[in-house]
Amino acid sequence: MTVKQGQSLPDITLQMTGSIEDMIEMAIAMGIALTDELTVGTDVPEIEVSEALIVTNMENNGVVPASAISTATDKQVAGIGYWIVGTDFIVQ
């Protein structure tokens, strides 16, 4: 398996083993820290499946968890929800 866009360590661990309780074992197998961001296309080593029913269900239904949040943004956010009073939003 390889890491896909938007996947985090909990995502790939759940997808491969059926349980996020295996995150530490997965991080050790990958040689990364629990908080490291994953690079798309990275090969993921095989570790023992803990919850085969969950893995099978996800495979049969085409479920690929991808919950990573990117801090990079290509566009400037705008609107009243992002304005700062006295800076962007001038009260007259």
Side-chain angles (χ1 to χ4, degrees), residues 10-22 49-65:
D11 296 328
I12 62 167
T13 305
L14 181 62
Q15 184 176 356
M16 290 192 65
T17 71
S19 174
I20 61 169
E21 293 177 355
D22 298 316
V49 173
S50 299
E51 299 290 335
L53 183 60
I54 293 173
V55 172
T56 302
N57 188 20
M58 289 173 56
E59 287 173 353
N60 290 343
N61 292 300
V63 175
V64 179

Side-chain angles (χ1 to χ4, degrees), residues 66-87:
S67 63
I69 298 171
S70 175
T71 55
T73 180
D74 294 331
K75 62 180 182 175
Q76 173 122 4
V77 292
I80 197 164
Y82 297 97
W83 294 341
I84 300 170
V85 174
T87 304

